[in-house]
Amino acid sequence: MKNILIINSGSSSLKFQLIQMPSEEVMASGMVERIGLDDSKLHYRVKDNAISEIIEATDHAVALKAITEHLMDSENGVIKNKDEIAAVGHRVVHGGDAFSETITINDKVKEKIKEFFSLAPLHNPPNLKGIEVAEKLFPNSEQVAVFDTAFHRTIPRKAAQYAIPNKFFEKDHIQLYGFHGTSHKYVSKKAIEELQNENSRIISIHLGNGCSITAVKDGKSLDHSLGFAPVNGLIMGTRSGDIDQSVIFYLIDELGYTSQEVSDLLHKNSGMLGLTGYSDLREIEREAASGNKRCQMALDMNAYRIKKYIGAYVAVMNGLDALIFTAGIGENSDVIRNLVCKDMDYFGIKLDEEKNKVRDKKLRAIEAEGSKVKILVIPTNEELEIAQQTFELIS
């Protein structure tokens, strides 16, 4: 048995799970939020015992140290010393074209992660910070990087390259990279187990504040909605998704926006927030049910965009065996699932509305009798996927 500490380091938060492998037992989990502020808060859970407390987490080093002290606490701890942690698995969002698999971290790996700061400015800098802090705090534990982009390195060039001069692909590495790969890989593996068919055609729909959809054929990513950076594709909480490039030039050249203002607009003030004034889908659904036409239109637009991608991916895979809904919205919103699956009979997608309304944290099938396509709600578990990949690497 080996203890794997999973770290997901954000700009002002640090999420963690301590997972014993290969039993996959979650020994402890939690997070520190509002790092750098006066009212930083630590949440720690072990079995049925949950603790929340205000701490002075001036930076990520202090936050991780506080987590470690809880892990070794005489009353609520689960380990006696830091050396009981065999490895620390780090989620890193952007690995560019340098990393196609999980890797042991060294100075060269850290330099590459730094090179991709400009491609994922909200994610890669705090990801690297988490690595550097963990190296100092756990000097005897192996440090491992698991990249969100790695699962999508199997996407063929004809799908990954943009129709701009070749030099931008060959010299500047401008291409589709894809994101949420750890989640898509985890749920597609679960779907393959459910189908009992490794040679299956699956569409995985990850719907949260960030959203993406992936065509998975024979267990490998074939195409994906997010591209060079995580802003295009589906309509998201605050991100626009697909937009005509001419709109960007018009905003700058005719309406006087700066490029940074346009970037902020498309990343932080668009999507469901821009359409409705709300970024939380639960509020949008409540407003729509109460007659708010803008909210209902936003839901319709959201589902319409997903349906377009389903149609495209059915075409490139020449068929479909299973449709997966995952992540916060995908797992919990029967409204979105219903809108997406409505009038999809031509593709053999038929939803059972009663099954769709059932709430459960386990994998469940919600297709109607006679549906040619399996419709699955699969709770994602990126931390477990990172633990599995880390354990496989160090074993």
Side-chain angles (χ1 to χ4, degrees), residues 71-355:
L71 290 172
M72 297 188 299
D73 181 72
S74 59
E75 188 175 341
N76 293 305
V78 290
I79 58 174
K80 292 181 180 179
N81 60 70
K82 292 186 287 187
D83 290 342
E84 290 184 35
I85 294 175
V88 183
H90 298 268
R91 179 202 179 202
V92 182
V93 167
H94 214 309
D97 56 357
F99 302 106
S100 59
E101 56 188 19
T102 298
I103 192 167
T104 300
I105 297 169
N106 56 30
D107 289 341
K108 288 184 178 180
V109 172
K110 288 188 287 185
E111 280 302 314
K112 277 293 181 182
I113 292 171
K114 191 177 291 184
E115 280 183 30
F116 301 127
F117 274 14
S118 60
L119 300 184
L122 299 179
H123 300 93
N124 270 38
N127 294 162
L128 180 59
K129 187 181 294 183
I131 290 169
E132 292 171 339
V133 168
E135 284 178 326
K136 293 177 181 177
L137 202 55
F138 304 101
N140 297 324
S141 304
E142 198 148 6
Q143 306 293 325
V144 174
V146 179
F147 298 91
D148 273 9
T149 49
F151 181 58
H152 302 300
R153 298 303 297 146
T154 54
I155 293 175
R157 180 168 175 171
K158 64 183 178 182
Q161 184 173 355
Y162 297 113
I164 54 179
N166 286 309
K167 66 176 183 178
F168 293 109
F169 177 85
E170 294 164 354
K171 294 182 179 180
D172 301 304
H173 311 292
I174 295 174
Q175 62 179 86
L176 184 156
Y177 287 109
F179 300 90
H180 298 140
T182 308
S183 174
H184 287 297
K185 183 176 183 178
Y186 177 82
V187 297
S188 60
K189 285 196 305 184
K190 289 293 182 183
I192 289 169
E193 291 173 8
E194 182 74 10
L195 294 168
Q196 297 182 337
N197 179 12
E198 292 185 0
N199 304 118
S200 52
R201 296 162 295 186
I202 296 167
I203 293 177
S204 172
I205 312 171
H206 178 107
L207 302 177
N209 190 51
C211 303
S212 63
I213 181 169
T214 303
V216 182
K217 189 174 183 181
D218 304 333
K220 295 180 180 180
S221 177
L222 190 68
D223 204 348
H224 177 75
S225 61
L226 292 171
F228 183 64
V231 69
N232 60 304
L234 306 181
I235 297 171
M236 297 172 246
T238 64
R239 285 170 269 178
S240 65
D242 288 338
I243 189 169
D244 182 345
Q245 300 94 322
S246 300
V247 174
I248 297 171
F249 303 132
Y250 187 83
L251 287 167
I252 294 172
D253 297 336
E254 300 297 329
L255 300 185
Y257 284 75
T258 66
S259 61
Q260 185 59 54
E261 286 172 337
V262 173
S263 178
D264 289 343
L265 172 68
L266 298 180
H267 282 85
K268 301 175 182 178
N269 299 301
S270 294
M272 300 301 277
L273 177 64
L275 292 170
T276 68
Y278 305 98
S279 61
D280 190 319
L281 193 81
R282 291 168 295 189
E283 291 182 279
I284 296 169
E285 289 180 356
R286 283 195 293 267
E287 286 291 316
S290 299
N292 186 318
K293 293 183 179 180
R294 283 188 174 180
C295 287
Q296 185 59 56
M297 177 56 69
L299 292 173
D300 291 340
M301 290 172 64
N302 192 310
Y304 182 79
R305 183 76 57 86
I306 296 168
K307 289 162 82 93
K308 284 176 66 175
Y309 270 90
I310 291 173
Y313 290 168
V314 170
V316 298
M317 292 192 294
N318 191 28
L320 181 63
D321 298 305
L323 191 66
I324 302 170
F325 289 94
T326 192
I329 292 170
E331 294 167 29
N332 296 302
S333 176
D334 58 286
V335 173
I336 286 292
R337 293 194 299 263
N338 185 59
L339 287 171
V340 169
C341 295
K342 189 177 181 180
D343 299 327
M344 296 285 272
D345 307 59
Y346 185 81
F347 292 119
I349 298 171
K350 294 182 180 180
L351 184 74
D352 185 308
E353 294 191 13
E354 292 306 313
K355 290 180 182 177

Side-chain angles (χ1 to χ4, degrees), residues 379-395:
T380 191
N381 194 332
E382 292 169 284
E383 289 80 11
L384 179 56
E385 179 63 33
I386 293 171
Q388 289 171 343
Q389 292 188 41
T390 300
F391 179 71
E392 187 176 333
L393 182 68
I394 67 171
S395 296

